[in-house]
Amino acid sequence: VIKARKTSRDFYDKPISIQRLSDILFGSFGLIHGEWNELESSGLKIAGVRKATPASGGLHVEEAYITVFRVEGLPSGIYYYRPQDHKLNLLKLGDFEEEIIALNNNQFFQRGMAFGVYLTARLDKYSWKYQHSRTYRVMLLDMGHVSQTFILTATAAGFNTWITGVFKDTETESFLGIDGYQESVMLYVGAGHGSGAAFPP
């Protein structure tokens, strides 16, 4: 899987199944370990959750906003992923592919992906636990960890992946309905069927 993973910029405009999307979201952002029982049994307060990705303090400050383009059985639109019960909350319906390409600084080679994910960071969670400026460095590491988990999970599921940190921050945050202060957009990752080419034709 590690060897197969590479950034792709040539997608086939082909749908994936809703089950595949579900599997990728659960493996990337879900509570795959269940309850963090070892803390409670040791008399410690549960202040975090356990996912597949390491996270400072177990806080897992990432939030996942799913941009659905080509998923069988799921209308195109923007969804928020709820890890606590592995569900999607619909934020808005519609074909937003071209608008998202524009938000992502006109990186046209994402066209044809099955879906993408805007990864945001809940900065208010960090400031609650870590009250110093170095926290920002930790947040960047955490976001890198979770994005790599997504990319490897999607690769293992047989899809090509793409990642970018280039987008219009304020416009993207407005599009997602977040304030940019308590919660800020950090990365965009996506997956779908494609040639695997590193650059578009």
Side-chain angles (χ1 to χ4, degrees):
V1 171
I2 291 170
K3 190 171 181 179
R5 187 230 62 82
K6 64 177 184 174
T7 301
S8 175
R9 294 179 180 84
D10 181 32
F11 292 93
Y12 286 161
D13 193 18
K14 180 180 174 184
I16 68 170
S17 72
I18 194 170
Q19 184 61 58
R20 280 303 205 189
L21 173 66
S22 175
D23 293 342
I24 293 168
L25 294 180
F26 185 67
S28 302
F29 314 117
L31 306 181
I32 68 169
H33 298 289
E35 294 294 324
W36 205 345
N37 296 325
E38 62 199 287
L39 289 178
E40 203 165 34
S41 63
S42 300
L44 299 172
K45 183 178 179 180
I46 299 175
V49 294
R50 295 186 69 214
K51 297 183 180 181
T53 302
S56 55
L59 292 178
H60 283 286
V61 302
E62 74 276 355
E63 303 286 358
Y65 294 85
I66 318 304
T67 60
V68 172
F69 308 121
R70 296 164 185 86
V71 178
E72 295 168 350
L74 189 62
S76 296
I78 312 302
Y79 297 80
Y80 169 75
Y81 178 69
R82 289 172 43 94
Q84 60 267 42
D85 52 10
H86 184 55
K87 291 186 178 174
L88 291 176
N89 282 2
L90 174 65
L91 300 180
K92 44 181 144 177
L93 280 175
D95 180 1
F96 296 107
E97 186 170 34
E98 294 305 317
E99 186 172 350
I100 289 168
I101 288 171
L103 288 172
N104 291 347
N105 212 38
N106 298 311
Q107 295 179 81
F108 63 90
F109 34 77
Q110 74 175 80
R111 189 177 288 116
M113 289 191 318
F115 73 100
V117 182
Y118 278 113
L119 293 171
T120 70
R122 287 282 305 277
L123 303 176
D124 54 341
K125 282 188 179 182
Y126 276 120
S127 63
W128 165 78
K129 185 164 185 174
Y130 302 114
Q131 298 175 9
H132 50 79
S133 60
R134 183 173 282 243
T135 304
Y136 191 75
R137 180 185 301 178
V138 175
M139 182 271 294
L140 294 176
L141 291 171
D142 285 350
M143 298 307 292
H145 291 318
V146 74
S147 64
Q148 180 72 343
T149 298
F150 170 87
I151 286 168
L152 290 176
T153 302
T155 301
F159 300 110
N160 297 113
T161 61
W162 182 68
I163 182 170
T164 186
V166 179
F167 37 75
K168 300 170 183 175
D169 297 53
T170 304
E171 291 177 38
T172 302
E173 287 161 350
S174 176
F175 177 74
L176 296 175
I178 61 177
D179 63 13
Y181 297 97
Q182 301 293 323
E183 181 179 1
S184 184
V185 65
M186 293 290 150
L187 288 167
Y188 184 75
V189 292
H193 295 285
S195 71
F199 52 89

